Amino acid sequence: SSGTPYLGLMPGKTRIRTSFDPEHEIPRLHKWFSHNQHPTRDQMMRYMHELNTLESRRGRRPLDLTNIIYWFKNARAAQRRACKALDDSMEDSSGAGDDGRSGEDMGGHSQHRDSLPDSGDPDDSSGGGGGLDCNGSSGSGDASIPPYLPNKNAVYMIPFHPYLQTSQASHARMSTPGPGVSAESAGDDQPYDLSLAKRRSSEELSPVPYKRQARKALPSQQEEAEGAAKDNKTQDLTHGKSRPPFPAKSPNMADSEAEGHSTKRGSNSPPANPSIFLPSSTSPICPPRFPALLDAASKMRQEIPAHSEEDQATSEAELLKLRLKQSQDYADYAMHSNVSRLTAANMAALSLAQMGGLPLAQLPPSLAMAAYYPMDPRFYSAPQHSASSPTPLTRSSVVTPLHPHAHQSASPPGPHARGQMSGSEPRKRRTRVFIDPLTEIPKLEKWFLEDTHPSAFMIDKFCEELNTCEYRHKFPKLEPKNVQLWFKNHRAKVKRMKTV
DNA sequence: AGCAAGGATTCCTATGTCGC
DNA sequence: GCGACATAGGAATCCTTGCT
């Protein structure tokens, strides 16, 4: 075959992505890697052939030599990264330990990386030949040698985390120690990825550490994992030695948290910033919440000028202030109102029909809609489950703040926080962009038909065009990222529909 | 409360560039 | 040739939202 078997041969088309079987191929690759990080071309050819003869490769695209080459290259890079990260974390952990993880925690859980790549190799009864040292030499089985990670984003067993300290998990770790794992290697993983922690609960129960498992396909495991998480949550609350996963709560959070959180989702709701808690038309607790709305609206008004300066639209800011004041009044009115609901399509249609010329482009959709539809309780009422909850701070009752900056600071930290954060950063609340099904989706679909992979230039162009539409005069502007994501997800959707 | 849709995020592979 | 770094994009998953 040519040197470039699949790249560049199909300009404008999707590159074929190679995936390695986590059960049969990856362990082999790791074993080979542990024996020799720099195999010769002939060796890699043999590896390729061996993998291509596996049952797991049947029905899939045969591996090319470049796949093997790339894999080894990436594995070497990953090892270096892992060693570097480990070195850094070792330096950190040898310090004052002010990250909240006590020495007791460290010592009590020596198997911080409880599953090594090789550990899943059914062919390697010796345990995969041990880890590799940071100099890249082959592993000797020395327990002090830290393990490596073949990829910075690889799904591995998580090192210590307070939520993961189940007795079951501990037992599993103790009973199935990975090769090359030691107390020395048990320092903070760096960067600390909570998504790994989240996944660990299910994956740890799996004999195959690499394999991703669909949540819904494994309900029992999920329940087990959730139960474990719950147990650990309790432990966090009752055992002082467990590191709180989030920084000290803000003054704003204090009040709400003092009320307690009874719902799963509600537990991650308290915003770090004063957000708007619009009054509910049905909830008996709406009057106490209304001052928060007023405060938040006032705060937002104070923030407007700075933001508007960027857009060189001072007059618009003034108008926006006015509209916010109006929305505040509307909210006041809506607190005592109750009107029928509107469908999303109707909202979009009404937005076009009724909102002409009103510059609320900076508003998040929920607040903008609340401003425009003061009588629609959808935009003011708390969700159903909040009625039974002692706290009003449920996610649906929180209207995201005005600016993107504010979005970021309004994240609700909580036990379900995840993603790539260090544990000292509050989790950002995910915001969702609304794309108008009446005016925008048809355009996007038309563009999609013309080109499923538009260039960055075209993405910008599409974005620009969409933002000139009337709909975007009323609602937050789209960013190229949003358009790109739409294309990405639409490709996935189309493919999904084709397979079904 | 549960479900579906779909936007957002994470993980992983592939590729390119630059410097050594 | 290799390492470091950046980036694109598919697949899988998460999570928000609307609806019943």
Side-chain angles (χ1 to χ4, degrees):
Chain A
S1 62
S2 69
T4 55
Y6 39 83
L7 181 80
L9 299 180
M10 301 172 292
K13 299 215 171 170
T14 305
R15 178 204 300 160
I16 299 170
R17 181 178 187 259
T18 299
S19 61
F20 294 96
D21 185 88
E23 282 186 65
H24 302 102
E25 294 173 353
I26 296 282
R28 277 181 167 77
L29 286 164
H30 281 299
K31 189 170 73 177
W32 295 329
F33 184 76
S34 68
H35 292 151
N36 182 10
Q37 292 184 55
H38 297 267
T40 64
R41 192 177 181 86
D42 284 346
Q43 280 178 309
M44 285 194 279
M45 286 285 278
R46 283 205 303 275
Y47 297 161
M48 180 191 77
H49 287 310
E50 181 172 336
L51 293 180
N52 281 335
T53 57
L54 289 177
E55 186 75 18
S56 57
R57 188 46 58 181
R58 194 170 291 176
R60 301 164 70 187
R61 188 181 66 83
L63 292 169
D64 188 89
L65 183 59
T66 55
N67 298 126
I68 309 298
I69 294 171
Y70 289 146
W71 191 92
F72 272 85
K73 192 173 182 178
N74 282 327
R76 286 191 295 268
Q79 182 189 339
R80 284 189 303 275
R81 281 194 301 269
C83 289
K84 186 170 181 292
L86 188 65
D87 288 343
D88 293 344
S89 65
M90 293 286 280
E91 287 175 12
D92 292 344
S93 62
S94 64
D98 56 353
D99 63 349
R101 300 185 190 193
S102 66
E104 182 184 352
D105 288 332
M106 301 287 284
H109 299 272
S110 61
Q111 305 294 335
H112 280 206
R113 287 197 180 93
D114 33 352
S115 198
L116 281 172
D118 281 335
S119 65
D121 187 355
D123 296 333
D124 194 359
S125 57
S126 66
L132 296 161
D133 62 25
C134 291
N135 295 324
S137 61
S138 292
S140 61
D142 185 345
S144 66
I145 294 174
Y148 70 94
L149 301 175
N151 189 296
K152 65 177 177 179
N153 295 322
V155 179
Y156 285 102
M157 301 306 101
I158 194 69
F160 171 76
H161 186 276
Y163 286 150
L164 307 174
Q165 280 184 278
T166 66
S167 58
Q168 182 186 23
S170 299
H171 176 73
R173 276 192 286 262
M174 296 302 286
S175 61
T176 58
V181 182
S182 68
E184 285 83 354
S185 69
D188 276 357
D189 205 6
Q190 169 99 251
Y192 192 78
D193 186 349
L194 287 178
S195 67
L196 298 182
K198 175 191 62 191
R199 294 177 181 208
R200 188 216 62 90
S201 57
S202 63
E203 286 169 345
E204 184 173 31
L205 300 171
S206 165
V208 183
Y210 272 90
K211 192 163 190 173
R212 294 192 191 190
Q213 299 175 12
R215 264 191 323 171
K216 292 178 181 177
L218 298 167
S220 60
Q221 287 187 1
Q222 187 188 359
E223 286 170 13
E224 212 166 346
E226 286 176 353
K230 200 181 296 178
D231 289 344
N232 286 300
K233 188 177 175 183
T234 305
Q235 183 182 0
D236 287 340
L237 295 173
T238 53
H239 293 74
K241 71 174 185 178
S242 292
R243 181 176 69 109
F246 302 102
K249 50 193 172 199
S250 68
N252 300 351
M253 291 174 62
D255 292 340
S256 57
E257 288 208 349
E259 296 178 2
H261 298 282
S262 59
T263 63
K264 191 168 71 173
R265 294 274 182 152
S267 62
N268 67 354
S269 293
N273 259 9
S275 297
I276 297 179
F277 307 109
L278 293 166
S280 168
S281 61
T282 54
S283 171
I285 55 176
C286 55
R289 274 192 275 163
F290 197 56
L293 167 68
L294 301 178
D295 290 343
S298 299
K299 181 173 170 54
M300 289 163 69
R301 281 199 299 274
Q302 291 168 4
E303 290 173 355
I304 290 168
H307 185 78
S308 298
E309 280 173 9
E310 296 173 8
D311 300 330
Q312 300 175 346
T314 310
S315 58
E316 189 172 316
E318 292 297 321
L319 192 51
L320 187 53
K321 281 186 191 180
L322 181 63
R323 296 299 305 172
L324 278 165
K325 174 65 170 62
Q326 289 178 359
S327 70
Q328 186 176 319
D329 297 337
Y330 288 158
D332 190 11
Y333 177 77
M335 189 169 66
H336 308 289
S337 305
N338 188 13
V339 295
S340 62
R341 290 185 167 199
L342 301 174
T343 65
N346 284 340
M347 285 194 301
L350 282 172
S351 69
L352 288 175
Q354 298 180 5
M355 301 179 193
L358 298 178
L360 276 180
Q362 304 291 340
L363 280 178
S366 51
L367 184 57
M369 295 304 277
Y372 282 115
Y373 297 103
M375 296 179 69
D376 190 334
R378 177 212 309 260
F379 307 116
Y380 297 94
S381 61
Q384 295 161 1
H385 55 267
S386 69
S388 59
S389 170
T391 171
L393 302 178
T394 55
R395 71 192 159 114
S396 294
S397 65
V398 176
V399 175
T400 47
L402 185 59
H403 308 307
H405 321 74
H407 277 186
Q408 292 168 6
S409 61
S411 63
H416 299 293
R418 51 179 287 280
Q420 290 183 333
M421 57 185 190
S422 63
S424 60
E425 301 170 18
R427 167 157 167 72
K428 293 169 182 174
R429 188 176 191 274
R430 191 187 278 184
T431 59
R432 183 171 173 167
V433 167
F434 292 89
I435 300 176
D436 182 25
L438 289 185
T439 62
E440 294 180 329
I441 293 292
K443 282 185 179 177
L444 285 164
E445 286 177 340
K446 176 173 169 284
W447 294 329
F448 184 85
L449 282 177
E450 293 167 359
D451 185 3
T452 58
H453 287 78
S455 63
F457 175 77
M458 292 305 291
I459 291 282
D460 282 343
K461 203 176 159 190
F462 295 157
C463 185
E464 214 170 295
E465 182 170 338
L466 290 175
N467 281 334
T468 60
C469 295
E470 199 173 358
Y471 184 84
R472 290 294 153 193
H473 293 164
K474 328 294 184 306
F475 296 100
K477 299 275 188 191
L478 289 172
E479 294 175 23
K481 188 182 87 171
N482 302 121
V483 179
Q484 192 176 18
L485 270 172
W486 185 91
F487 271 88
K488 193 173 189 175
N489 284 318
H490 201 66
R491 284 194 295 269
K493 180 184 175 181
V494 167
K495 188 173 183 179
R496 215 166 40 233
M497 291 173 76
K498 274 183 183 171
T499 56
V500 173

